[in-house]
Amino acid sequence: MNKILVILMSLILVSCNGQESKKPLTKNHKMNQQNLEYITFGGGCFWCVEGAFQYLKGVESVVSGYSGGHKNNPTYEEVCTGETGHAEVVQIGYDPKVISYEKLMDVFFFLHDPTQLNRQGNDIGTQYRSIIFYKDVAEKLKAEAALKTSESSGRWNGKYVTEFKKFEKFWPAEQYHQGYYEANPNQPYCSAVVGPKIAKFKKHYGELGMLKATAL
């Protein structure tokens, strides 16, 4: 019995920092970018966020990467030190005629705990902060309104600490991070953290109609 508990605890305590892909996703995608809009945000490990959003109907692309820092072309190892200032984020290309910005924000606040400062569970560091990048004042106002709506709903207990920052640059993460959960569902972190989060997401948002988007 003690051995079983130790194994379970080891799975629960894993973080995405230092985990490696044994099966990199190498496929490329082609899509019609006309009439698509883009949004970039971070809510903890990008494997979790990417893994869920790619199932939403109206979301045409989901790319994991880094934003909000001061170093050009940062690597995953550099971002993990917390010294580059970047956050792990996803950049989503979506069709606003199919899914709204507000609905994307609702999913965003559902997927992570926006009351946790610079962490999500056992993933600790500024790279895991809750952050939304906006392209202009109008989009910032929509993001702030979405936060207030979610915060007032009582979904999470506490004050939201999500950061708002003007979008400047998005750096795609290394190829093996793209579609990471899909390529590595049995990896310890994926099976213990990402998988259950995606299952919860699918159960809650089934009415949106799941249609797989394309990873980088």
Side-chain angles (χ1 to χ4, degrees):
M1 184 66 176
N2 289 336
K3 184 177 181 180
I4 294 176
L5 288 175
V6 170
I7 293 174
L8 289 174
M9 288 301 295
S10 67
L11 288 175
I12 293 173
L13 293 175
V14 294
S15 70
C16 75
N17 187 7
Q19 301 289 328
E20 295 183 356
S21 170
K22 294 183 179 180
K23 185 182 177 184
L25 188 69
T26 57
K27 66 180 179 180
N28 292 320
H29 73 281
K30 293 181 180 180
M31 65 178 182
N32 181 7
Q33 296 183 350
Q34 187 176 7
N35 298 324
L36 290 186
E37 294 188 10
Y38 292 85
I39 182 173
T40 304
F41 45 56
C45 178
F46 45 28
W47 299 341
C48 297
V49 183
E50 178 202 76
F53 272 94
Q54 67 175 346
Y55 287 101
L56 288 176
K57 185 176 181 180
V59 171
E60 299 297 332
S61 68
V62 186
V63 183
S64 291
Y66 317 110
S67 284
H70 53 76
K71 186 181 188 303
N72 292 337
N73 294 305
T75 65
Y76 180 62
E77 289 72 20
E78 290 172 333
V79 172
C80 282
T81 67
E83 296 178 359
T84 69
H86 292 88
E88 287 193 11
V89 300
V90 295
Q91 186 169 86
I92 294 171
Y94 68 99
D95 183 349
K97 294 181 180 179
V98 180
I99 188 168
S100 68
Y101 179 93
E102 288 75 15
K103 179 56 69 174
L104 292 172
M105 284 287 95
D106 184 66
V107 175
F108 169 73
F109 286 118
F110 175 85
L111 284 176
H112 77 294
D113 184 348
T115 70
Q116 293 190 341
L117 181 63
N118 297 330
R119 69 177 297 169
Q120 282 298 303
N122 293 304
D123 293 325
I124 302 173
T126 56
Q127 68 270 30
Y128 300 115
R129 65 190 182 274
S130 176
I131 185 169
I132 298 172
F133 293 89
Y134 57 90
K135 62 184 178 184
D136 52 34
V137 174
E139 191 168 88
K140 181 183 180 183
L141 291 175
K142 289 198 296 184
E144 291 175 336
L147 181 148
K148 291 180 180 178
T149 297
S150 181
E151 191 173 40
S152 63
S153 73
R155 175 179 290 169
W156 300 99
N157 185 24
K159 183 175 177 58
Y160 285 20
V161 294
T162 302
E163 177 184 349
F164 295 92
K165 189 169 185 176
K166 180 71 181 297
F167 177 80
E168 293 182 358
K169 184 68 179 179
F170 170 78
W171 304 96
E174 294 80 350
Q175 188 63 43
Y176 76 88
H177 285 298
Q178 311 304 334
Y180 190 91
Y181 175 72
E182 180 183 22
N184 303 273
N186 297 319
Q187 186 256 36
Y189 183 87
C190 287
S191 60
V193 180
V194 186
K197 181 170 288 193
I198 291 177
K200 181 180 179 181
F201 155 78
K202 287 183 177 180
K203 182 177 180 180
H204 186 81
Y205 287 101
E207 79 281 0
L208 290 184
M210 301 300 175
L211 181 64
K212 198 176 199 95
T214 309
L216 178 67

